[in-house]
Amino acid sequence: MDNYPLLNLFWTMLEFFLWILWFFLLFKIITDIFRSHDMGGWGKAGWTIFVILLPLIGVLVYLIARGGSMHERDLDQAAQADKAFKSYVREAAGPGGGGAAGGSQVDELAKLADLKNSGALTQEEYQKAKDKLLT
């Protein structure tokens, strides 16, 4: 450990951090290239080859040329993922896609419970109506 001073250790850690940061940026750009809907296949192939063969220049040129719209593509992808998640939750929440049928079923059960609690329905009537609603 005497042959490796503390300053060299910090320098090595900085180089390691920058190396990982570089790979993160490279993968982010490659992902953005393939996610882009406004580019054709040849454009995507050209940018990918440019970024892989000349990584430093390719990444910098890509950031200058298309970096401003990367954020918009990120937002579009997040919105699509959110929409898909909400759609899945609606489908899983109730019968008939969980839309109006799932919501109306819950409303009907709440109304039945209110009627039973107010004394308008007997326990047997409530149970029959609930069984009919749930089947």
Side-chain angles (χ1 to χ4, degrees):
M1 201 67 176
D2 292 331
N3 295 338
Y4 204 67
L6 187 61
L7 188 57
N8 285 352
L9 178 67
F10 287 136
W11 184 253
T12 302
M13 289 174 57
L14 179 66
E15 288 176 342
F16 184 70
F17 173 74
L18 290 176
W19 185 252
I20 290 187
L21 186 66
W22 175 255
F23 274 112
F24 176 77
L25 184 60
L26 183 65
F27 290 132
K28 177 77 173 164
I29 287 176
I30 290 174
T31 302
D32 188 66
I33 289 170
F34 287 105
R35 176 175 56 203
S36 180
H37 296 293
D38 60 338
M39 246 193 305
W42 287 107
K44 290 178 183 183
W47 274 113
T48 304
I49 291 170
F50 188 45
V51 166
I52 290 174
L53 291 182
L54 298 171
L56 182 62
I57 296 171
V59 166
L60 292 176
V61 169
Y62 188 84
L63 287 175
I64 292 168
R66 298 183 48 89
S69 58
M70 284 176 71
H71 177 69
E72 295 168 7
R73 287 186 289 278
D74 279 341
L75 288 178
D76 289 343
Q77 183 186 17
Q80 288 175 357
D82 186 51
K83 182 179 176 183
F85 175 74
K86 287 180 180 178
S87 173
Y88 170 74
V89 168
R90 276 190 220 103
E91 287 178 18
S104 66
Q105 187 178 28
V106 171
D107 292 339
E108 291 295 322
L109 284 172
K111 288 178 187 176
L112 283 174
D114 288 340
L115 287 172
K116 185 186 97 162
N117 291 338
S118 69
L121 290 177
T122 65
Q123 179 65 29
E124 296 82 26
E125 292 171 332
Y126 169 75
Q127 193 61 40
K128 285 179 186 177
K130 185 174 102 171
D131 291 340
K132 182 179 177 184
L133 186 63
L134 293 177
T135 55

